[in-house]
Amino acid sequence: MKNSKIKGIVFPTLAAFIWGTAFVAQSVSTDYVGPFAFNAARSIIAFFVLWAVAAIFKKTGEKNGTPVNGGSRKDLVIGGICCGVVLAAAANFQQAGLADTAPGKAGFITALYVVLVPIMGIFLRRRASLPVWLGAVLAVGGLYLLCIKENFSVEKSDLLVLACAFIFALHIMCIDHFVQKVDGVRLSCVQFLTAGLVSAVLSLIFENQSLAGIWHCILPILYVGVFSSGVAYTLQILAQKDADPTVVSILLSLESVFSVLAGAVILGDRLSGREYIGCVLMFAAVVLAQLPWPIKKKGEVK
């Protein structure tokens, strides 16, 4: 298996693991800090982490005689700003929705980006293979069994999370476009600086946030900022460098599986038979999305 293929599987799976285990920290913070302030803090922390990582990569590359090709500064700035604005919108809609939406329902609605990504790809004249489409359907079914435990109803908070799912799908496509032009780590660095500044301005305008509230949940913010934002989003970008964005989105959706498993291991929550079936469907979706699908060439007769 080629290194690019391995990265396209391992990196988004690891990102999903980090997001799944960080979900508890993110939800707990809603009791102490507003969504804009929370995302401003986590994004600025992620920016500094990635700035250090980019500096290390640059220095290491220069030592080895293979400097990092970061693309043009113009593409980096434009790409980072575009991805950052989209990321800020998605993260703030999600954080606001989590305040009043049951975590299971929010996880299912957010993960709808699994289906939205290939649908958006159609408008960009991209074709997803049949296994990928079937995998997307299985992933949604698995997420439903994993997350939905109450009667499904559409409330204001649900609509916020639904908007987040659409924007996260757009974010995946946005990254897929710009990561082909610039270095992934630098792109992630600029996008988080942008997301942090946008969220900070919105917090100053719409929230009456105190430093005491932020300090009260500083550990969850640090964990989410360093790992969930700084590390996981960078893994997503690096994975999308040479991978199908639809396949990446299905792998990223495993965050729901990991969040359930983390609850069982760390908090002692027990999985029901329904949830185990959901896990099986999710992993089946991942395997199915990796299967090659023969494409019939024009004029070929079978």
Side-chain angles (χ1 to χ4, degrees):
M1 186 179 291
K2 296 181 179 179
N3 288 335
S4 59
K5 182 69 173 179
I6 295 175
K7 284 197 303 182
I9 297 174
V10 175
F11 282 9
T13 303
L14 182 56
F17 174 79
I18 295 172
W19 284 333
T21 54
F23 189 82
V24 174
Q26 185 176 343
S27 61
V28 166
S29 298
T30 60
D31 295 331
Y32 304 100
V33 63
F36 296 133
F38 175 84
N39 284 308
R42 69 180 284 189
S43 297
I44 294 300
I45 291 172
F47 162 72
F48 282 111
V49 171
L50 292 169
W51 178 79
V53 171
I56 293 172
F57 279 8
K58 181 180 179 181
K59 190 172 183 180
T60 303
E62 290 174 350
K63 277 187 176 181
N64 297 333
T66 55
V68 176
N69 180 18
S72 71
R73 184 179 296 273
K74 179 180 178 181
D75 287 337
L76 179 62
V77 172
I78 293 176
I81 291 176
C82 290
C83 293
V85 170
V86 176
L87 175 61
N92 284 309
F93 271 113
Q94 182 188 57
Q95 192 69 12
L98 279 170
D100 297 309
T101 299
K105 185 184 291 186
F108 171 71
I109 297 174
T110 300
L112 287 178
Y113 66 75
V114 175
V115 174
L116 295 173
V117 167
I119 292 176
M120 287 184 175
I122 294 177
F123 295 97
L124 297 176
R125 297 182 179 180
R126 294 183 178 181
R127 294 178 58 188
S129 66
L130 180 60
V132 169
W133 279 104
L134 293 176
V137 173
L138 280 178
V140 172
L143 287 165
Y144 180 86
L145 294 175
L146 273 171
C147 301
I148 301 300
K149 296 181 176 66
E150 67 273 12
N151 292 328
F152 192 90
S153 60
V154 179
E155 301 175 356
K156 181 180 178 180
S157 56
D158 297 334
L159 293 177
L160 291 174
V161 183
L162 181 60
C164 148
F166 276 94
I167 303 172
F168 267 130
L170 179 60
H171 181 247
I172 289 177
M173 302 304 295
C174 189
I175 285 179
D176 182 62
H177 174 73
F178 287 106
V179 79
Q180 308 302 325
K181 300 180 179 181
V182 298
D183 175 64
V185 176
R186 295 183 181 182
L187 176 65
S188 187
C189 187
V190 177
Q191 84 160 348
F192 275 109
L193 176 61
T194 302
L197 293 176
V198 170
S199 297
V201 171
L202 292 174
S203 179
L204 290 173
I205 295 174
F206 296 107
E207 295 175 344
N208 185 19
Q209 188 62 56
S210 66
L211 292 177
I214 296 177
W215 181 254
H216 193 84
C217 56
I218 188 63
L219 290 180
I221 289 176
L222 284 172
Y223 180 76
V224 175
V226 174
F227 292 99
S228 182
S229 297
V231 176
Y233 275 104
T234 301
L235 289 173
Q236 174 194 349
I237 287 176
L238 294 177
Q240 286 189 234
K241 186 75 175 179
D242 301 299
D244 186 330
T246 303
V247 173
V248 171
S249 70
I250 293 176
L251 291 168
L252 293 176
S253 72
L254 283 173
E255 65 181 290
S256 294
V257 177
F258 288 125
S259 67
V260 172
L261 295 177
V265 174
I266 299 173
L267 303 178
D269 295 338
R270 293 184 178 180
L271 292 175
S272 66
R274 174 190 177 97
E275 289 170 326
Y276 277 120
I277 294 175
C279 290
V280 171
L281 288 179
M282 285 297 301
F283 281 108
V286 171
V287 174
L288 185 60
Q290 305 303 316
L291 297 178
W293 183 257
I295 301 176
K296 184 179 178 181
K297 296 181 180 180
K298 187 175 181 180
E300 180 181 354
V301 179
K302 289 188 177 181

